[in-house]
Amino acid sequence: MKYKNIKEEELKNKVGEDWFKHFDTTKILGNIDFSVFPKQDSIFGRSPLLWAEAKTGNFDIPTMFVQLVLTIGKARTFDKTLPPAFLGAFDFKKIAFVPYISVQDIFYLNDFNWNVTPSNHETKEFKLIKQRIEDTLKQNTYVYDYQKDEKELKFFIANNIAKATETSKIKIDKNNFIPIYLRWLDTVKPIIDVNWDDLKKANILDSDFYLADLFVDDKDTQIITDDLTIRDNLFVVFQNQGYKITKENLKQMFDASIGIRNKETYQQFWKRYKRPPIKDFQGYIIERRDLLVPQDIRERKGAFFTPRQWVELSQKYLADYLGENWQEEYYIWDCAAGTGNLLAGLTNKYNIWASTLDQADVKVIHERIKHGANLLESHVFQFDFLNDDFSKLPQALQNIINDPDKRKKLVVYINPPYAEATSAKTVTGTGENKGGVTTQFKINEYLNPKIGNATNEIFALFMANIYEKIPNCILGQFSKLKFINGSNFKKFKEYFLADYVSGFIVPADTFDNVKGNFPIGFTIWNTAKKSKINIISTDIFDKKGEYTGTKNFYGELPNSINKWIKIYDDKTNSGLCFMGNPSPDFQHNSQLYTSLNKGIEHFNFWNFTQHNLLVGTIYFAVRQAFEATWLNDRDQFLFPNDGWEKDKEFQNDCLAFTLFHGQNRVSINDGVNHWIPFTEQEVNAKEKFASNFMTDFIHGKLKVENRKIDLFHNQDNQENPKNHGSDKRQFSAEATAVFNAGRELWKYYHSKKGVNVNASFYDIREYFQGRNDKGRMNSRSNDEKYTELIDDLREKLNLLADKIAPKVYEYEFLKK
């Protein structure tokens, strides 16, 4: 069967008719190209059998599957309807299948941007998924040529696709128990006949009912799992077609069985899954029940699982500082213990205390102790560190805290929550903002006069409360590093006076439930020695735990680059364009752009004129010459020394860099384009440009009048406003290469019919790349010549950025 030279819709119809005529292929699920359903309901209802990507032409299989995965992930289709038994991909020549369960973990990647266009093969997300999926496809893919493998393909469809509704149930393991829980929340929780608010007050959560459902035997749902340790750890059990509360102190309050309003829905849901979970993972699921706690409670509790490799590394750093016998000589208290994994590996249980906000976590740790965790049950207790009075602590721990000598031997060892409360009203507590998080703590009101805006951070409240109530102790903590160099922590640093000992930083996304591209540090502080935070040097470890160098963080920094650029802002004259001055760190560089119109962002928009053009392009290039990474995410751009003032090559490099950078968004749609870096003759323009300002400036043809603004604060300086536009610019080899590459791009654009001769760099990119359905410029173009030219220009621009970078440090725009 040949499907050459037909459109995609016709290809889908042909494949449906020729290979899936005994199924329903008419249903459309979002942007998924092709879906296969059984024609009759099965015991699972009308469940999909196959979701597939369709392509005309001859495509490589991984690329088709990646596009399908991105389409599914972007729409979260698996959350809206049950997923199929198989995913597929086909073109005019072949069709391939892969079991859905073999790739489903991809849909639950942390910190992944699913909003990219699935058909754009150049995004980092596409490449990441392709890399991940290729190995999976090698082991699990079934590929058939329509003509050569006709019999085999028919056999596969008849014995796999057709019988998918009869295949064995999905086994529950550590990788899928959370996705199943998310579906359970939508399907089963609403039909449980109980007042959830009453249960929440009693510290019983929906996850306890989910665990009750997991740990029954499918052969007889009247039988709870025969593992007594699991049974004893369940707060709710499923019995006699209903639920029973098993917590001793709540049995009388909830003595009746809790029923299910729609048993058919319940049964249909659980017919898909094999219960109880695979035995090897049962202990893990109970231990990681914290992952099933609703997000708002997890942020409040600080239930963020510290990766094992960082636990071990942090304990090594403590041992390096306190000595190899530190566990015998020091006491340890984790006052944000969660389920206690930070304490794993410690040996002297008589010197260890663990407290956690939630009694359920205490129960989990007690269960771990029964299975060998090296802790004492009497040393593990429920305690709200930011609200409760210290008189509630175990007496033995109180005795240590109240004894000045013993207190110096107390190590407070924690990974507290990272939730943040600011005026912003957005998202999570893992590097972003969430309104109203810290105001619920009693300690907030007391500490606010002492540490100011730092009270917006829960980890800062922990630090300050430790410093206040456990003076002279040793503090070893995981946290963000903004308390060192953050603008909201000036008052905090005046209050928290302690000696920095040592520490390391790692990528934030190696932590469970932490989103964002920034460092998390483990730092050790001796609060008995009073020292203001100035410079701290940390070791760097990558995701694999390999040491890669050191990095400094600065508590005291010069004024910011924004105060420097403000000196040259000329609002009195009509300008060439505007430039945003966002917060002076790497994470805000995406908001730094040039435009003929002011943006809507709430920061200063700087006015370019011919008299401050160079200094504006220096600001732009200094900030955009570096790629933002997890390491530099919070680094601050600073008020420079005066070395740049006499460095004409540096100034001209920055001018060239700005002219051809993607964040230069000057467009003829907003007004006259003064940023054309070439003459009409150089690019074979069909008409005269509306403005030759930039080439006149470059070639020193501008007549410059005296200005009140002195560009370099020095009337004797040879580079002053009188000759600012009248000197011909001499460019470095790297900058010249950028101009040469740019010229070829402009010439190619002007070779096209009907183009606007006054187009800017931004307009040229828009012409070739176009825009998507949401109005955003596409990242790539279908024009091969343009792609070749723009790639060459970007390569040359990167080389110029490498040349600019050392000068950025030399002139102290950044500190190493």
Side-chain angles (χ1 to χ4, degrees):
M1 297 177 185
K2 296 183 179 180
Y3 302 124
K4 263 191 174 183
N5 301 321
I6 60 175
K7 295 181 179 179
E8 186 175 300
E9 286 303 315
E10 188 178 354
L11 172 64
K12 290 189 287 188
N13 291 336
K14 288 282 188 183
V15 169
E17 292 170 7
D18 293 341
W19 303 103
F20 298 98
K21 60 185 176 182
H22 299 301
F23 305 89
D24 179 3
T25 60
T26 62
K27 290 192 70 172
I28 299 174
L29 288 177
N31 292 320
I32 296 174
D33 288 338
F34 187 79
S35 297
V36 176
F37 285 78
K39 285 191 173 179
Q40 287 86 32
D41 287 353
S42 69
I43 60 170
F44 299 113
R46 292 268 286 165
S47 305
L49 306 176
L50 174 71
W51 292 343
E53 180 77 10
K55 290 289 183 188
T56 56
N58 188 11
F59 277 74
D60 71 284
I61 291 168
T63 295
M64 290 193 286
F65 272 113
V66 174
Q67 187 164 333
L68 176 62
V69 166
L70 287 171
T71 299
I72 295 168
K74 183 175 185 178
R76 306 291 293 179
T77 314
F78 48 85
D79 283 339
K80 300 168 186 173
T81 183
L82 289 164
F86 289 89
L87 296 181
F90 59 87
D91 56 21
F92 80 91
K93 184 179 181 182
K94 60 187 176 297
I95 187 168
F97 306 94
V98 63
Y100 176 86
I101 196 169
S102 69
V103 298
Q104 68 174 354
D105 67 303
I106 294 175
F107 297 118
Y108 300 96
L109 289 173
N110 286 329
D111 192 26
F112 186 85
N113 177 22
W114 288 103
N115 291 320
V116 296
T117 303
S119 59
N120 186 347
H121 299 178
E122 300 303 321
T123 64
K124 66 178 182 181
E125 289 80 8
F126 191 98
K127 293 174 181 177
L128 173 64
I129 294 297
K130 187 173 183 181
Q131 182 179 355
R132 287 210 38 172
I133 208 170
E134 281 177 333
D135 290 339
T136 303
L137 295 180
K138 287 176 184 176
Q139 300 175 12
N140 298 287
T141 311
Y142 306 90
V143 184
Y144 301 96
D145 184 287
Y146 297 125
Q147 291 180 302
K148 296 178 182 178
D149 306 318
E150 180 179 351
K151 290 183 179 179
E152 292 86 349
L153 175 54
K154 287 181 177 179
F155 181 86
F156 179 86
I157 292 172
N159 288 275
N160 291 275
I161 304 296
K163 296 181 179 180
T165 56
E166 302 168 15
T167 55
S168 60
K169 297 179 179 181
I170 296 172
K171 295 179 181 180
I172 302 169
D173 60 22
K174 70 174 186 176
N175 292 317
N176 66 9
F177 82 102
I178 298 172
I180 295 170
Y181 168 65
L182 297 175
R183 298 185 194 111
W184 180 94
L185 285 175
D186 290 334
T187 306
V188 178
K189 180 182 176 181
I191 62 174
I192 299 176
D193 191 10
V194 71
N195 186 316
W196 292 103
D197 290 334
D198 288 345
L199 286 176
K200 194 172 181 180
K201 292 174 184 176
N203 215 15
I204 296 291
L205 305 173
D206 53 37
S207 55
D208 295 312
F209 284 76
Y210 172 65
L211 291 174
D213 279 348
L214 282 189
F215 288 98
V216 298
D217 193 322
D218 274 331
K219 297 175 184 176
D220 185 349
T221 55
Q222 302 303 311
I223 302 175
I224 309 169
T225 178
D226 58 3
D227 190 325
L228 293 179
T229 60
I230 297 293
R231 290 179 60 175
D232 292 343
N233 199 48
L234 296 174
F235 300 160
V236 179
V237 297
F238 187 84
Q239 275 182 324
N240 301 320
Q241 300 302 310
Y243 299 92
K244 291 281 292 183
I245 307 293
T246 60
K247 286 183 90 171
E248 289 297 330
N249 59 332
L250 297 176
K251 281 184 178 179
Q252 291 184 342
M253 188 185 306
F254 301 98
D255 59 341
S257 178
I258 297 171
I260 298 170
R261 285 190 284 265
N262 189 329
K263 292 183 179 178
E264 182 180 354
T265 298
Y266 179 91
Q267 291 167 357
Q268 289 298 327
F269 180 86
W270 283 115
K271 278 179 179 178
R272 296 182 167 278
Y273 305 104
K274 172 68 177 164
R275 296 181 292 174
I278 297 171
K279 195 166 186 63
D280 289 347
F281 301 116
Q282 291 182 9
Y284 174 87
I285 290 171
I286 287 294
E287 180 181 337
R288 296 313 320 278
R289 69 194 302 161
D290 61 301
L291 295 175
L292 304 174
V293 175
Q295 184 71 16
D296 61 332
I297 295 177
R298 292 192 70 207
E299 290 173 358
R300 168 79 170 86
K301 291 194 315 177
F304 300 105
F305 196 73
T306 314
R308 180 66 189 158
Q309 62 178 340
W310 308 141
V311 172
E312 294 175 355
L313 189 61
S314 66
Q315 291 175 10
K316 177 183 182 299
Y317 273 66
L318 285 169
D320 289 344
Y321 171 53
L322 301 174
E324 62 181 11
N325 296 320
W326 74 283
Q327 294 188 56
E328 303 301 322
E329 299 169 1
Y330 287 82
Y331 309 99
I332 302 162
W333 180 21
D334 183 352
C335 56
T339 53
N341 75 298
L342 189 60
L343 303 174
L346 299 180
T347 56
N348 186 1
K349 61 186 177 181
Y350 300 101
N351 281 9
I352 302 170
W353 279 264
S355 61
T356 179
L357 178 67
D358 197 332
Q359 184 62 39
D361 286 338
V362 175
K363 179 81 172 177
V364 171
I365 300 177
H366 283 176
E367 189 62 39
R368 291 179 58 201
I369 292 172
K370 292 177 183 177
H371 291 274
N374 198 29
L375 300 167
L376 294 176
E377 284 196 19
S378 60
H379 284 201
V380 178
F381 54 96
Q382 188 277 329
F383 184 73
D384 188 341
F385 187 77
L386 298 181
N387 282 322
D388 287 348
D389 191 273
F390 273 33
S391 62
K392 295 183 180 181
L393 295 174
Q395 190 58 51
L397 183 55
Q398 286 191 54
N399 292 342
I400 295 169
I401 294 173
N402 294 332
D403 184 317
D405 292 329
K406 289 183 178 180
R407 193 166 59 235
K408 291 180 180 179
K409 292 286 188 176
L410 175 60
V411 178
V412 181
Y413 179 38
I414 56 173
N415 180 16
Y418 306 147
E420 175 181 344
T422 70
S423 57
K425 297 179 179 178
T426 54
V427 247
T428 71
T430 55
E432 301 177 0
N433 305 326
K434 181 182 173 87
V437 173
T438 66
T439 54
Q440 62 192 293
F441 301 119
K442 292 178 183 178
I443 198 66
N444 185 294
E445 185 176 350
Y446 173 75
L447 288 174
N448 190 271
K450 296 175 180 284
I451 65 174
N453 290 336
T455 56
N456 289 330
E457 301 275 354
I458 293 182
F459 82 86
L461 289 176
F462 268 83
M463 290 181 71
N465 204 32
I466 292 165
Y467 188 78
E468 182 80 17
K469 296 182 179 178
I470 318 174
N472 301 329
C473 71
I474 304 295
L475 171 62
Q477 70 161 13
F478 287 93
S479 72
K480 293 180 285 186
L481 278 300
K482 58 168 62 177
F483 72 94
I484 299 168
N485 60 5
S487 59
N488 284 335
F489 284 81
K490 290 182 179 179
K491 201 166 185 179
F492 177 89
K493 285 181 285 190
E494 294 172 358
Y495 168 77
F496 185 86
L497 302 177
D499 181 50
Y500 170 70
V501 176
S502 64
F504 61 84
I505 56 174
V506 297
D509 60 6
T510 59
F511 282 70
D512 168 63
N513 198 45
V514 177
K515 299 178 181 179
N517 198 30
F518 60 93
I520 286 179
F522 177 74
T523 52
I524 303 173
W525 303 85
N526 186 341
T527 66
K529 297 180 180 180
K530 307 303 178 186
S531 177
K532 192 170 183 179
I533 299 173
N534 186 14
I535 302 174
I536 76 164
S537 180
T538 61
D539 295 330
I540 305 168
F541 290 87
D542 63 17
K543 291 184 178 183
K544 297 179 181 179
E546 295 179 1
Y547 172 80
T548 62
T550 61
K551 180 173 178 60
N552 292 332
F553 292 86
Y554 297 88
E556 297 295 330
L557 288 169
N559 286 328
S560 79
I561 194 173
N562 283 355
K563 288 195 174 182
W564 170 75
I565 194 66
K566 191 81 170 174
I567 297 170
Y568 307 102
D569 199 356
D570 182 4
K571 295 288 198 291
T572 62
N573 292 277
S574 59
L576 305 169
C577 73
F578 295 98
M579 175 176 64
N581 300 148
S583 296
D585 54 34
F586 278 88
Q587 65 173 321
H588 289 94
N589 275 355
S590 61
Q591 298 174 340
L592 169 56
Y593 60 90
T594 61
S595 174
L596 290 179
N597 293 327
K598 289 183 179 180
I600 61 173
E601 296 88 350
H602 297 292
F603 44 67
N604 180 58
F605 276 84
W606 194 82
N607 187 35
F608 269 102
T609 72
Q610 73 175 62
H611 310 291
N612 62 16
L613 176 61
L614 284 179
V615 74
T617 59
I618 290 171
Y619 175 92
F620 183 96
V622 160
R623 293 192 59 170
Q624 296 288 8
F626 298 85
E627 181 182 356
T629 67
W630 72 270
L631 264 179
N632 64 24
D633 182 67
R634 300 304 197 257
D635 286 3
Q636 303 287 307
F637 291 93
L638 306 171
F639 198 115
N641 61 40
D642 59 6
W644 62 274
E645 295 179 5
K646 296 181 180 180
D647 191 340
K648 289 188 176 183
E649 183 170 285
F650 171 70
Q651 296 167 23
N652 294 335
D653 283 345
C654 291
L655 172 62
F657 182 87
T658 304
L659 287 171
F660 298 96
H661 193 275
Q663 288 293 91
N664 180 354
R665 300 180 190 172
V666 169
S667 171
I668 49 174
N669 294 323
D670 301 321
V672 178
N673 173 22
H674 298 290
W675 291 73
I676 303 175
F678 306 109
T679 64
E680 294 90 343
Q681 293 79 8
E682 285 182 279
V683 296
N684 301 322
K686 296 177 177 63
E687 298 287 345
K688 183 173 174 55
F689 297 151
S691 170
N692 294 108
F693 167 81
M694 192 56 65
T695 51
D696 286 348
F697 180 85
I698 290 171
H699 292 95
K701 295 181 179 180
L702 294 179
K703 180 180 179 182
V704 183
E705 300 175 357
N706 289 322
R707 308 295 307 166
K708 291 182 180 179
I709 284 185
D710 180 354
L711 181 63
F712 300 108
H713 301 292
N714 184 351
Q715 296 293 341
D716 296 327
N717 194 306
Q718 60 178 344
E719 180 68 85
N720 62 48
K722 291 184 179 180
N723 59 15
H724 188 260
S726 57
D727 282 352
K728 185 174 181 179
R729 302 280 139 199
Q730 299 295 324
F731 292 98
S732 65
E734 292 82 358
T736 300
V738 169
F739 273 99
N740 291 341
R743 186 180 299 105
E744 294 305 309
L745 178 63
W746 251 263
K747 287 168 67 175
Y748 182 61
Y749 169 78
H750 282 280
S751 71
K752 301 294 183 179
K753 292 182 179 180
V755 297
N756 191 319
V757 295
N758 294 301
S760 67
F761 179 48
Y762 184 82
D763 298 321
I764 292 173
R765 290 171 54 226
E766 183 181 36
Y767 175 84
F768 287 107
Q769 294 172 209
R771 294 187 177 274
N772 61 23
D773 295 341
K774 295 183 179 179
R776 295 177 181 172
M777 190 186 296
N778 296 318
S779 60
R780 304 294 288 178
S781 169
N782 293 325
D783 188 308
E784 293 183 3
K785 178 66 174 177
Y786 167 79
T787 299
E788 177 185 331
L789 293 172
I790 195 71
D791 285 348
D792 182 54
L793 174 57
R794 287 169 177 161
E795 180 183 342
K796 300 299 191 297
L797 198 70
N798 288 336
L799 294 174
L800 180 58
D802 292 341
K803 181 175 185 294
I804 292 171
K807 295 295 183 75
V808 174
Y809 290 105
E810 179 181 342
Y811 301 141
E812 297 181 316
F813 287 100
L814 281 174
K815 280 185 174 290
K816 285 189 176 180

